[in-house]
């Protein structure tokens, strides 16, 4: 009876504590009064509940970070005469390093808009912090004077001071669309080239550039390019999380598949083109989860 009592009471307390954990409460602890196997079990359960409590606090912090970062992305797509614009970012973790933004550069006539897509190396909280910093620097600098290449150079100098020798950097593609003059200007800072699809002829043209990503070198120089645009063209700016996504056989989604989907859906609104691309990407990767952030902005000249 004595042995049974000495076993029953501790086990009852252990079971009660485990039930509390199962119900999501981590406050109850097992009272440890012996140095035997039962006492060791109680110590282990107490350590486990403390770890779960810390994990819950961390998850709460991540949820807040996710909410803050999502609020930094555009709340809605801009409405500009002659343009049909849509964008999206899908993170593979609670937070990510991908970024896109719309910046109006001529509020008085609504004829100019800057579109930005960035991709911080890696993902998670550190990348999210660098993305947020880059967004702030860029928005502040675009509001001033200067051409796109000067804007990107100034932002790069600021970021380089911040990242120092951390090894982190951000690739960036920024373009300005001027509907009044029918001109597209862009700067590519180490980003995958954006693409222009011309419906008449079904041709794709890459908007490339050979400059370094932001944050790599304080002395990096950036070049501005420009070309005429015409109704019927589609400008697609994405991140490598799209074409480098893998299926269960280890095959990449690829840019050719990306181009085919744009070609097949060129008659649709920009938002629907993005939806078709995301659905195709999900089908391609199923049942694998995404391992990289996905960002895409589609602009139709209408």
């Amino acid at each position: 009876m004595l042995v049974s009592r000495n076993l029953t009471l501790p086990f009852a307390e252990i079971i009660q504590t485990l039930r509390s954990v199962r119900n999501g409460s981590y406050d109850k602890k097992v009272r440890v009064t012996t140095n035997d196997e039962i006492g060791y079990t109680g110590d282990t359960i107490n350590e486990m509940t403390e770890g779960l409590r810390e994990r819950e606090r961390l998850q709460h912090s991540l949820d807040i970070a996710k909410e803050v970062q999502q609020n930094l992305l555009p709340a809605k797509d801009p409405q500009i005469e002659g343009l049909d614009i849509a964008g999206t970012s899908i993170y593979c973790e609670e937070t990510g390093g991908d970024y896109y933004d719309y910046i109006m550069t001529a509020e008085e006539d609504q004829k100019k808009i800057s579109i930005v897509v960035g991709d911080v190396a890696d993902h998670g909280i550190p990348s999210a912090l660098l993305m947020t910093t880059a967004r702030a620097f860029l928005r502040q600098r675009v509001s001033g004077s200067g051409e796109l290449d000067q804007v990107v150079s100034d932002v790069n100098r600021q970021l380089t001071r911040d990242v120092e020798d951390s090894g982190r950097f951000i690739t960036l593609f920024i373009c300005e669309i001027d509907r009044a003059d029918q001109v597209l200007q862009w700067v590519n800072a180490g980003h995958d080239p954006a693409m222009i699809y011309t419906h008449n002829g079904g041709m794709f043209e890459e908007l490339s550039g050979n400059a370094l990503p932001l944050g790599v070198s304080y002395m990096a120089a950036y070049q501005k390019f420009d070309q005429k645009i015409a109704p019927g063209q589609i400008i697609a700016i994405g991140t490598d999380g799209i074409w480098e996504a893998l299926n269960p056989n280890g095959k990449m989604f690829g840019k050719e598949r990306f181009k085919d989907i744009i070609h097949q859906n060129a008659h649709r609104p920009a938002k629907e083109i993005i939806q078709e691309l995301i659905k195709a990407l999900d089908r391609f990767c199923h049942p694998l989860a995404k391992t990289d952030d996905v960002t895409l902005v589609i602009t139709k000249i209408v």
Side-chain angles (χ1 to χ4, degrees), residues 238-251:
T239 56
D240 57 12
I242 301 174
W243 32 85
E244 292 183 4
L246 299 176
N247 68 4
N249 297 322
K251 186 177 181 180

Side-chain angles (χ1 to χ4, degrees), residues 78-123:
Q79 303 297 316
I80 298 178
E81 183 182 355
L83 297 177
D84 175 16
I85 306 175
T88 189
S89 270
I90 303 171
Y91 296 143
C92 63
E93 296 181 3
E94 283 85 354
T95 57
D98 275 14
Y99 151 64
Y100 78 100
D101 202 0
Y102 310 122
I103 306 174
M104 299 303 301
T105 50
E107 295 288 353
E108 67 280 358
D109 56 15
Q110 297 285 299
K111 292 292 186 182
K112 287 185 180 180
I113 184 174
S114 289
I115 302 174
V116 189
V117 173
D119 185 0
V120 180
D122 206 356
H123 39 80

Side-chain angles (χ1 to χ4, degrees), residues 2-21:
L2 182 61
V3 171
S4 175
R5 182 175 181 274
N6 287 339
L7 289 174
T8 302
L9 291 178
F11 276 124
E13 188 170 354
I14 287 173
I15 292 171
Q16 189 176 4
T17 302
L18 291 175
R19 282 175 176 166
S20 296
V21 170

Side-chain angles (χ1 to χ4, degrees), residues 11-229:
F11 276 124
E13 188 170 354
I14 287 173
I15 292 171
Q16 189 176 4
T17 302
L18 291 175
R19 282 175 176 166
S20 296
V21 170
R22 183 182 63 184
N23 294 328
S25 175
Y26 310 124
D27 295 329
K28 188 173 178 56
K29 287 185 176 293
V30 178
R31 285 178 298 175
V32 178
T33 57
T34 62
N35 293 323
D36 56 11
E37 288 83 353
I38 296 177
Y40 174 76
T41 302
D43 283 332
T44 303
I45 291 174
N46 289 338
E47 291 174 4
M48 178 192 71
T49 54
E50 186 58 38
L52 289 171
R53 185 188 301 180
E54 182 61 31
R55 181 179 177 181
E56 187 178 55
R57 285 196 293 263
L58 178 60
Q59 185 61 52
H60 180 64
S61 298
L62 286 173
D63 290 342
I64 294 175
K66 178 181 179 180
E67 182 180 351
V68 170
Q69 188 176 27
Q70 290 290 335
N71 287 335
L72 294 178
L73 296 174
K76 59 182 180 179
D77 297 316
Q79 303 297 316
I80 298 178
E81 183 182 355
L83 297 177
D84 175 16
I85 306 175
T88 189
S89 270
I90 303 171
Y91 296 143
C92 63
E93 296 181 3
E94 283 85 354
T95 57
D98 275 14
Y99 151 64
Y100 78 100
D101 202 0
Y102 310 122
I103 306 174
M104 299 303 301
T105 50
E107 295 288 353
E108 67 280 358
D109 56 15
Q110 297 285 299
K111 292 292 186 182
K112 287 185 180 180
I113 184 174
S114 289
I115 302 174
V116 189
V117 173
D119 185 0
V120 180
D122 206 356
H123 39 80
I125 291 291
S127 297
L129 292 173
L130 181 54
M131 182 277 277
T132 304
T133 303
R135 176 187 182 275
F137 284 156
L138 194 59
R139 276 185 160 257
Q140 182 184 38
R141 182 58 187 84
V142 168
S143 64
S145 60
E147 299 294 329
L148 282 183
D149 51 345
Q150 298 171 322
V151 168
V152 176
S153 294
D154 290 345
V155 172
N156 173 66
R157 283 192 287 271
Q158 292 286 346
L159 280 178
T160 304
R161 293 193 188 99
D162 284 354
V163 298
E164 293 288 339
D165 299 322
S166 68
R168 296 196 174 275
F169 59 87
I170 176 171
T171 67
L172 187 83
F173 185 94
I174 179 172
C175 66
E176 182 183 78
I177 302 174
D178 186 339
R179 285 294 285 127
D181 295 335
Q182 297 289 308
V183 172
L184 172 71
Q185 298 182 342
W186 76 89
V187 173
N188 191 333
H191 198 77
D192 272 295
M195 302 177 194
I196 286 190
Y197 171 74
T198 302
H199 187 61
N200 296 331
M203 299 296 294
F204 281 89
E205 178 185 356
E206 290 194 342
L207 306 178
S208 57
N210 54 4
L212 290 172
L214 305 183
V216 174
S217 170
Y218 184 85
M219 300 301 294
Y222 297 93
Q223 184 177 359
K224 180 187 70 173
F225 301 89
D226 61 76
Q227 74 172 51
K228 285 287 187 178
I229 54 176

